[in-house]
Structure formats: C-alpha cells, structure tokens
Amino acid sequence: MIHSRNLPFVTTLAIFVIAYALCALQFPAMLSTRVIGNLLVDNAFLGIAAVGMTFVILSGGIDLSIGSVIAFTSVFVAVAVGSFGLHPLTAFALVLVISTAFGSAMGAMIRYLQIPPFVVTLAGMFLARGAAYLISTQSVPISHPFIDSVQEFYFRFPGGGRLTAMSMLMIAVFVIGGIIASRTKFGANVYALGGNPQSAELMGVPVGRTTIGIYATSGFLSGLAGIVYTFYTSSGYSLATVGVELDAIAAVVIGGTLLTGGTGLIAGTFVGILIQGLIQTYIVFDGTLSSWWTKIVIGILLFVFIVLQRGIIWYSNRRIDIARLKGA
Amino acid sequence: MTDPQNTPEAVTVLEARAIAKSFLGNIALDNVDFSLKRGEIHALLGENGAGKSTLIKILTGVYTRDSGTIRLDGAEVSPANVGEAQVLGIGTVYQEVNLLENLTVAENLFLGRQPRRFGLTDRREMRRRSRELLARYGLDIDVDALLSTYSVAIRQIIAIARAVDLSGKVLVLDEPTASLDAQEVEVLFSMLRKLKADGLGIILITHFLNQVYAVADRVTVLRNGKLVGSRDLDGLPRMELISMMLGRELQHVTRDHQASEGDVPAGDAAIHFSDYGKRGSVSPFDLAIRPGEVVGVAGLLGSGRSETAFLLFGIDRADSGTATVDGREIALTSPEAAIANGFGFCPEERKTDGIIGDFSVAENIALALQARQGWAKPIPSRKKQALAEEFIRSLDIRPADPDRPIKFLSGGNQQKAILARWLATNPRLLILDEPTRGIDIGAHAEILKMIEKLCAEGMSLVVISSELEELTAIAHRVIVLSDRKHIAELSGAEVTADNIMHAIAAPNRTEAA
Ligand SMILES: Nc1ncnc2c1ncn2[C@@H]1O[C@H](COP(=O)(O)OP(=O)(O)OP(=O)(O)O)[C@@H](O)[C@H]1O
Ligand SMILES: [Mg+2]
C-alpha cells in the first residue's frame, strides 16, 4: 500500500512518465540521451536552488531571495576572477560563505524577531539584487583555464548524450538533500516545524537552530546554484535569474510538497524539475510554439497539482475518518 | 510536612524554590515551592487557572521564570528549552497537543533521539523499538502510519509512551487521562506504579480526585498562583482536599439520581429520530427527546458514542431512517443544516479543533452564534461583549477579561469558553461530548447547575460521558451503546452507575481497546 503522504509524489511521477511517453510518441528523438543530457544541464542551477527551497517549504516557510542570490553570486565570481584575479576556487569559497551567512541571518530574523519569512526574504531579495548591481551593472564575461577545464569535463552516454560536471553536481545535491531530509535529525526537525511549530517546540525540537539551519541551507544552495549558473553562461550579470525563486517554488509544488509545510519529498522536487524541463524540450522540438508556452503550461500544471493535492488530502482524510470509525 | 511512610532512600530528585512568574503584569505563580521525591507519584492540583501548567512549563524550560531556583539531584539547573529538559532526564506530556500529525507514529516517538546507524537514522530499528514501546501499553498498531490516522485516545497513549521513554529521572503528566477511558487509565496507572518502583519521580496533574487517590502518594495544591500546601495523601480526607483547592466548601449539587420521568416537563417528544443509522458507523436506532430532557449516552470508547453524535448533528449523513422536529421531517445533511434547525454540538476533540487561539475570548464565544446568523450579519461588538461577560460570570471563566486572546487562558478555562460558545446559540437540542473533561471540580458543579437550569427552560440535551457519576447526576434517561449498537435504555430509577456498568458489560463484547 502507498502511504498517503507519498501519494502526491507518486502522482507526480506517474504524470511525468505518461507525459514523457506521449512526447516520445510524437517526437521519438526525445528519447535520446542527448536530449536527456541537455535537459539536466539546462536545469542544473534551478534544480540545486529548488533543493534548498524544498527544505524551506517543508518547514512551512518560503525563500524569495534565491534568484537574487544567484545573480549576486555570478556577478561576484565573475568580477572576483576577472577583475581581481582570484582563483575561481577561492572566489567560490568566498561566495558560499557569504550566501550561507546571508541565509543564516534571514533565518535568525525570522526566528528571533518573529517576522514572517515572506517579508524577511522579500527584503533579502532586494538586498541581494542591489548588492549585485553595486558590483557591476554590466554582463561580465568570465574566462579562466580552471573554468574551461571544468566546462569540458563530462561523461559520454551511448547515443551522444553528455553528463556534465554541473549535471552531476545537481544530482549529488539531490541525493545528499534526500538523505538529509529523510535520514537525519535535522531533516526530521524540518518536517516537525512544518507540521506544527508549537508542538515541535514542546517535543524538544531546537526551533531556533533548525530555522537558521534551514535558511542557511537555502542560502548555501543558492550560492552553489549561482556558481553553476556562472559555468552555464560563462558570465555574471546582475539582471539575470529574475524570478527563479518562483520557478523553484513551482518545481517544489509540482513535486508534491505541500505549501503549508510538513509533507513532501526531495525526490518529488527532482521530478518537478524534470517536468519543467520536459515542457521546455517539447517546445523546442515543436518549433512553432513560443517559449512563453512553458510558463502557461507550468501555470496550468500548478493549478492542476494544487487541486489534485487538495483532492488527495480530502480523500485521505475521509479514509482516515472511516478507518477511525471502524477501528478506534 | 511529615512523611512517615517514606523510606530513608526517598530523597528529593527535583526541588523548586520560590518560583515566580507573571504574564504581562498578571501574576501566574507567586513564590511557589515544590519538591518531588524519587519513587513518588506527586499530584499537582488546583482550579482551572491556578498555575499548574505554568509551573510545569517553567520546570521544563518552556517558559523562563522571573525568579526562583530549580535543583535536580541537588544541582542547580535552568533548562532553556524542552530539549535541554529532556537531556536532563525530564519527560513531559503537556496539556496541549503534544505530537505531530504529519509524522508517522514511529517518527513521533523518536523525534530528536532517532536511533542511528552509520550516522544516519536507522528506520528499521526505530520501527522495532516503537512497536516494542507501544506493546507495553497493549497497543499493537502500524507504527509507519501517520499519527493523524489514529484517535485522540491512541495519540494520548503515544504521547505518554514517548514521555515515559524520555524520562530518566522525572516524568510529568499534565492531564494525561482527559481522553482515556477507564481501562486505558488502568493500564497507564499500573505503568506509573511500575515506574515509581523503579525510582522515577512522577508529577501528575488531573481534575479527577478518584485518580489522585488511586495512584498518588503526595499532593501539592495551588490556588490563584499561590502554594496552598503539600500533604501526604494518606489520611487526607477528600473534603479537606477539595476545600484546599477551592478555598471554600463545595456545595453539593449532585443529586444522586432522583431525577425521574416525572422531572421532565410534561409533553410529547419534539425531536424524533427513527430507524436512524449509517452503515459502518452506527446501527439504526430510535430516539425521541422531549423538551427539557437530558439523555445520557454511555459506552466504552469505540462503542459508537461519538459516532451517534456525528449522526445527530449531520457531520455524518444517515443512510437510513428519518429525523423530525415538531412533526416536520428535516434533512440533517450537514452541521450547517443541524445548526439551522436549532441543534448545537460541543465535540470531544476541543483540544485540536475547538479554539481559535488568536481570537479573543468574546470572539470565540460568539463564533457559533455568528455562524447561525450568517456571516453577512455581523454581531455588533457590544453584543458580543455582553454575551461574553454573561458567560464569563456564569461559568466562572478566569481571568474575567473578554478581550484577552483565548490562547492565554489555561486549558480548563478554554474548555469553558467553548462550552459557552454553544450555550450562547440557545439551541433546542444541545449535544455535548465529554463536557466536563479538564474542568475543575468547582466549575464542574457550576456547569451541571447551568445545564439543569437550561433544561428547566426547555432545552433538550444529549450528553456523552465516560463518567458514570456525571450521567447519573444529570440524565433522565441513559442509552447504552456497545459495538455501534444501542443495546439498552435505562430510565427513571433504573439510572444508576451499577446498572449502566452492567449494561455495558453484559453483551458479547468484541472490540479491543
Ligand atoms: N502564555 C500565557 N500568556 C498569558 N497568560 C498566561 C499564559 N499561560 C498561562 N497564563 C495565565 O496564567 C494563569 C495560570 O494558567 P495555567 O495554564 O498554569 O493554569 P492551570 O492551573 O494549568 O489550569 P487548567 O486546569 O485550566 O489547565 C492563568 O490565569 C492563565 O490565564
Ligand atoms: Mg493547565
């Protein structure tokens, strides 16, 4: 029997498989490893950011600063390497420290000043975007032997597809994120907070530490996503990745995580990313559709999924009631 | 303080001195001393709002005290949060909701102390230990199912099991028995006696004096945030204990069943349910209720008591039979329909879905009345205020401040406000599921008095209760349920605790706890 809390995930997975099959029927080439490889590369930075967002949403919060932090990171790295001649690895380490500290500070404000996450991270969004402009308003190209060599690193699938370093990094983040969520104390505390913060506190969950940890994780992963984005575009630009946090939220919700917190899986977010990638790929294959159709389809999907989740919750509550009546 | 019966090894494990706490200028605890010995069950008693839960929360790090000291095994401690208290060996079941519905049973039991293997949570071990732990309470359930799939009573047992497992030195139970039936209480108590023999110190808060006398060794009484005293229970007469709690004698209102058919205002039944039932829930039954009549519903947990109430109030839809009011057939398709017909229902799960914490006491009381009028016609705030003041007075809700957010009231006082909510709608049929759970002995008497008064004014009442004394005190008739069937009806002089007990026990019972 599927436990009811995994039902949204299973539904998402089923929808992805069916949609992929339908796409492949129309365009058999979509089955090629090359398409799959590209899908992973194109969504690597979004996927990494979405893992952080999953933790935040699981805890009942939201992080609107992600897109801005990604832009800040990419500009910071480009300028640090290009203008100041830092080694990319040094720049990465620096920027990860900054983005993690930034996330921790937001978490601390949410917990200790009792300001809603929406407000705190909205302020964080403006702040990070502003900081990116301060560094540079231009698109800064980046080139460094180290970056080139990483960009050229990949595994080749049979059929010509490539698993690049960035794709591997995303997959690693999903795997580690999944383990943290399901198999560590911190992960359990995140679910507990999302379920009911008062009860969690009375059960001994360290609410402050966990909240700060959640937003620090999201900050760290936004920084990492920014680094991946820099590799992806070979540049840093302060106007880039506007609204990426919303794409991440969409992936999380389509992946079956409840926006109210407490229920969901990291693996679901992965499928959510795949579904978004699939839509983009389909539009490319079709050739006549405008890329804005991606947004429209994602919008429709979101509606469908939210309604579906409501339905599932309603249904499982009913089943629970019936079970209670019969059992007790 | 003399303790003749205590052996020399009975040393103090927890000692609190001169604990003071005030909330926004209101004194909740005023220099209270409390001490707990190893291997004793110590009852902490007092009226609703006396400060019991506040004291517990200070001892366990939920609230910070304004002054005073806490010693555990002689060393001064100051837990800053529940986690620290747990590490010190203090396990607690708080009065409010204690567990997380979105987690599985096993996850709830081991939250914060998951068994680990290679640094990661060992889910299999967690499941195994969960099953083992619950087996001690006679509970054999799927520990991988979400907590939300289980009844309040089972959740309560899970919460207790978790706290017991956590407590190396001190176990605190704040009204743990409020949603348990007699059998489950017995299981819990035998557990407590065993733990006590192992040297654990146990603090028990309850409003059931029978339970206090059944398990406790010593008692500490609080009144209005002040310490009244600590006494050994041996040789402490019940009446003296009650007057310690109330600060006065209790006027006895319990008329030990003289209520008879004759007491009911003459007249024909106005509300009829005939052949009313729902498959899988309650077998079809007939019920006719006269104005001013109190019908009690008795039975074990899971016998269909609450389900009967769900049917009467339209929460569950009947699939057989008819309901009529004043000879007119009505369709109870939803709670709204029931409310429109003048029904009211005060459910058992008040803890979880009764109150809206951030709303004021007045708003919480006016809620059901507002729902009946429709949201388009808001009740003027002056009327809400007047209504609230009336019930605050008649039910003795403390503090008597209609504007205070209800979450700042003590558990028992919240309970009274919910009761007031339904009384305010002035229903012709009021269904009460365990109306006096968690309510102190003085208020209990007040509520029974109030119920009698309302019935005299023509309100009909269906009262579901596990306390037989309560039923015999107020019910004119008692329906006994077993196995989701109405198996017996006692009326007039037949309504005695003995008869009800026999009726419950008589048929071939198949259900397990
Ligand atoms: N968080 C809070 N904020 C403000 N006042 C509070 C808070 N918690 C408790 N109080 C007040 O402190 C007093 C003591 O409440 P407490 O919950 O300790 O009572 P109690 O003895 O546990 O009562 P009950 O039997 O009803 O549970 C009450 O007057 C209550 O209104
Ligand atoms: Mg209390």
Side-chain angles (χ1 to χ4, degrees):
Chain A
M1 193 195 90
I2 301 163
H3 273 292
S4 58
R5 73 166 159 177
N6 290 340
L7 216 57
F9 169 69
V10 174
T11 318
T12 308
L13 193 62
I15 287 178
F16 171 72
V17 171
I18 292 167
Y20 193 41
L22 289 177
C23 290
L25 275 182
Q26 196 181 351
F27 303 111
M30 276 181 73
L31 279 174
S32 75
T33 54
R34 198 181 294 242
V35 170
I36 296 171
N38 286 343
L39 192 156
L40 292 180
V41 179
D42 292 342
N43 290 289
F45 79 96
L46 178 60
I48 292 172
V51 171
M53 185 65 97
T54 313
F55 278 103
V56 173
I57 292 182
L58 277 178
S59 76
I62 196 91
D63 186 352
L64 299 178
S65 70
I66 287 178
S68 305
V69 173
I70 293 175
F72 170 81
T73 308
S74 72
V75 175
F76 182 93
V77 168
V79 170
V81 174
S83 313
F84 292 88
L86 286 184
H87 188 275
L89 284 178
T90 318
F92 296 162
L94 263 178
V95 83
L96 286 177
V97 169
I98 294 174
S99 64
T100 309
F102 184 68
S104 313
M106 290 197 297
M109 284 178 73
I110 290 166
R111 166 63 183 166
Y112 296 109
L113 304 183
Q114 298 284 317
I115 308 173
F118 188 96
V119 178
V120 172
T121 61
L122 186 69
M125 173 178 112
F126 287 118
L127 209 70
R129 184 70 67 182
Y133 287 137
L134 267 188
I135 298 175
S136 169
T137 50
Q138 323 258 288
S139 174
V140 187
I142 180 172
S143 89
H144 189 279
F146 173 77
I147 292 193
D148 296 343
S149 66
V150 173
Q151 276 171 334
E152 274 153 29
F153 179 82
Y154 57 82
F155 286 117
R156 188 182 284 280
F157 290 131
R162 290 171 177 186
L163 186 66
T164 64
M166 297 305 117
S167 308
M168 286 187 267
L169 183 62
M170 168 176 78
I171 291 169
V173 167
F174 269 104
V175 170
I176 295 170
I179 291 175
I180 290 177
S182 66
R183 302 291 294 274
T184 65
K185 235 184 226 191
F186 174 75
N189 290 345
V190 172
Y191 281 92
L193 272 190
N196 181 340
Q198 282 83 36
S199 298
E201 187 158 15
L202 291 184
M203 288 174 82
V205 170
V207 179
R209 195 149 31 99
T210 308
T211 308
I212 293 172
I214 289 164
Y215 288 88
T217 304
S218 181
F220 173 82
L221 290 177
S222 302
L224 199 61
I227 293 171
V228 170
Y229 188 75
T230 316
F231 277 105
Y232 182 57
T233 60
S234 301
S235 67
Y237 185 32
S238 50
L239 270 179
T241 61
V242 172
V244 159
E245 57 278 350
L246 303 181
D247 293 332
I249 295 172
V252 173
V253 172
I254 290 176
T257 298
L258 297 189
L259 267 176
T260 45
T263 307
L265 294 172
I266 301 283
T269 302
F270 187 64
V271 181
I273 292 283
L274 290 183
I275 288 181
Q276 291 199 24
L278 185 69
I279 299 166
Q280 287 157 1
T281 313
Y282 180 85
I283 284 164
V284 172
F285 267 78
D286 183 89
T288 62
L289 292 171
S290 133
S291 71
W292 286 105
W293 277 100
T294 317
K295 304 277 176 203
I296 293 174
V297 175
I298 289 175
I300 294 171
L301 269 185
L302 271 177
F303 272 121
V304 170
F305 271 85
I306 288 168
V307 171
L308 207 71
Q309 288 185 3
R310 281 279 124 214
I312 289 168
I313 291 170
W314 176 83
Y315 175 77
S316 64
N317 280 350
R318 253 196 94 71
R319 231 182 30 186
I320 288 166
D321 285 345
I322 292 168
R324 256 193 225 170
L325 290 180
K326 292 196 177 129
Chain B
M1 268 206 311
T2 52
D3 23 3
Q5 51 140 20
N6 281 318
T7 50
E9 56 160 358
V11 285
T12 303
V13 55
L14 182 73
E15 174 147 51
R17 274 207 180 283
I19 302 290
K21 173 77 185 172
S22 53
F23 293 105
L24 307 166
N26 299 311
I27 295 171
L29 287 176
D30 185 3
N31 288 318
V32 170
D33 297 332
F34 178 81
S35 82
L36 177 71
K37 294 197 187 85
R38 190 166 291 142
E40 93 170 339
I41 300 181
H42 194 135
L44 183 57
L45 304 182
E47 292 176 282
N48 295 134
K52 305 178 295 290
S53 300
T54 305
L55 178 60
I56 293 312
K57 286 186 174 170
I58 285 174
L59 295 179
T60 57
V62 181
Y63 295 154
T64 43
R65 57 190 183 275
D66 298 342
S67 63
T69 55
I70 305 170
R71 285 171 183 280
L72 187 70
D73 276 340
E76 203 168 319
V77 294
S78 226
N81 54 48
V82 180
E84 283 185 30
Q86 287 173 359
V87 171
L88 288 170
I90 307 177
T92 314
V93 175
Y94 295 94
Q95 193 175 5
E96 31 301 69
V97 195
N98 270 287
L99 300 171
L100 291 156
E101 293 194 6
N102 62 320
L103 303 185
T104 66
V105 172
E107 285 167 346
N108 267 294
L109 283 170
F110 286 95
L111 182 66
R113 53 195 195 101
Q114 295 86 344
R116 280 193 278 186
R117 200 156 165 251
F118 309 124
L120 296 177
T121 305
D122 184 350
R123 292 190 155 267
R124 189 183 315 166
E125 174 72 3
M126 195 161 96
R127 275 195 288 271
R128 192 186 63 73
R129 279 170 51 185
S130 299
R131 274 192 292 267
E132 204 178 272
L133 194 58
L134 293 179
R136 285 184 228 156
Y137 297 83
L139 214 53
D140 179 21
I141 57 175
D142 177 7
V143 296
D144 268 335
L146 291 182
L147 184 82
S148 58
T149 53
Y150 293 107
S151 66
V152 198
I154 291 181
R155 290 185 207 184
Q156 189 70 27
I157 296 174
I158 295 169
I160 292 169
R162 176 184 155 90
V164 168
D165 203 38
L166 267 171
S167 54
K169 293 176 180 167
V170 176
L171 173 65
V172 187
L173 303 171
D174 193 348
E175 299 196 26
T177 57
S179 42
L180 301 185
D181 69 14
Q183 224 174 321
E184 289 161 332
V185 169
E186 217 16 78
V187 174
L188 172 65
F189 283 1
S190 57
M191 193 74 179
L192 293 186
R193 289 189 192 102
K194 207 152 57 192
L195 292 166
K196 165 182 143 173
D198 293 344
L200 201 69
I202 301 172
I203 303 174
L204 175 69
I205 298 179
T206 177
H207 290 291
F208 298 103
L209 292 189
N210 290 340
Q211 297 181 355
V212 173
Y213 278 97
V215 288
D217 306 305
R218 216 147 59 103
V219 45
T220 291
V221 177
L222 300 180
R223 194 188 326 133
N224 289 329
K226 290 198 178 64
L227 176 70
V228 177
S230 292
R231 299 271 296 268
D232 282 326
L233 260 177
D234 247 7
L236 177 65
R238 186 180 282 247
M239 273 305 145
E240 198 178 329
L241 180 56
I242 292 174
S243 50
M244 274 173 88
M245 288 164 60
L246 300 186
R248 59 184 156 86
E249 302 286 318
L250 180 73
Q251 296 110 340
H252 238 285
V253 289
T254 351
R255 43 174 174 152
D256 204 21
H257 201 262
Q258 283 96 37
S260 67
E261 297 282 309
D263 287 2
V264 189
D268 289 331
I271 302 171
H272 284 272
F273 293 89
S274 46
D275 199 27
Y276 214 67
K278 175 178 155 82
R279 209 161 319 128
S281 171
V282 185
S283 312
F285 58 89
D286 292 317
L287 181 63
I289 310 167
R290 280 181 283 173
E293 191 178 26
V294 180
V295 179
V297 179
L300 295 176
L301 208 76
S303 60
R305 293 179 316 192
S306 297
E307 291 77 5
T308 302
F310 292 169
L311 272 181
L312 297 183
F313 196 58
I315 294 170
D316 281 344
R317 277 198 206 191
D319 56 14
S320 75
T322 53
T324 60
V325 171
D326 297 332
R328 185 172 44 83
E329 186 167 338
I330 57 167
L332 293 172
T333 51
S334 66
E336 289 78 15
I339 291 173
N341 279 296
F343 290 14
F345 176 45
C346 191
E348 188 186 5
E349 283 191 50
R350 280 164 298 219
K351 239 183 182 182
T352 46
D353 31 47
I355 66 159
I356 303 182
D358 289 317
F359 280 27
S360 71
V361 174
E363 282 166 317
N364 268 287
I365 291 178
L367 217 56
L369 189 61
Q370 182 70 75
R372 193 167 79 181
Q373 289 196 352
W375 296 96
K377 279 184 285 173
I379 300 172
S381 65
R382 206 144 37 87
K383 188 165 168 219
K384 272 190 205 169
Q385 209 75 7
L387 200 67
E389 272 161 24
E390 181 194 327
F391 281 105
I392 285 174
R393 197 162 356 94
S394 56
L395 294 180
D396 191 21
I397 296 175
R398 291 183 220 172
D401 174 6
D403 299 322
R404 183 176 293 232
I406 198 166
K407 65 178 175 192
F408 294 148
L409 262 57
S410 77
N413 282 302
Q414 291 177 358
Q415 203 97 302
K416 293 187 213 165
I418 304 293
L419 194 61
R421 174 190 296 172
W422 290 105
L423 294 174
T425 61
N426 206 359
R428 63 183 302 169
L429 173 66
L430 181 60
I431 305 156
L432 301 174
D433 198 350
E434 302 291 357
T436 55
R437 284 277 158 106
I439 286 179
D440 70 49
I441 188 158
H444 188 272
E446 297 295 322
I447 286 172
L448 295 192
K449 236 181 354 202
M450 177 127 189
I451 285 174
E452 276 176 13
K453 183 177 135 251
L454 288 164
C455 288
E457 291 165 8
M459 183 181 77
S460 312
L461 205 64
V462 172
V463 180
I464 299 169
S465 177
S466 318
E467 280 145 81
L468 301 184
E469 292 83 35
E470 185 170 302
L471 286 179
T472 55
I474 57 170
H476 301 104
R477 249 188 317 148
V478 171
I479 291 169
V480 180
L481 280 109
S482 174
D483 254 343
R484 305 173 180 282
K485 276 204 214 46
H486 288 215
I487 53 159
E489 184 173 324
L490 307 167
S491 60
E494 293 165 12
V495 181
T496 64
D498 265 0
N499 283 348
I500 298 174
M501 205 108 86
H502 276 114
I504 290 175
N508 45 331
R509 285 183 25 220
T510 48
E511 79 263 53

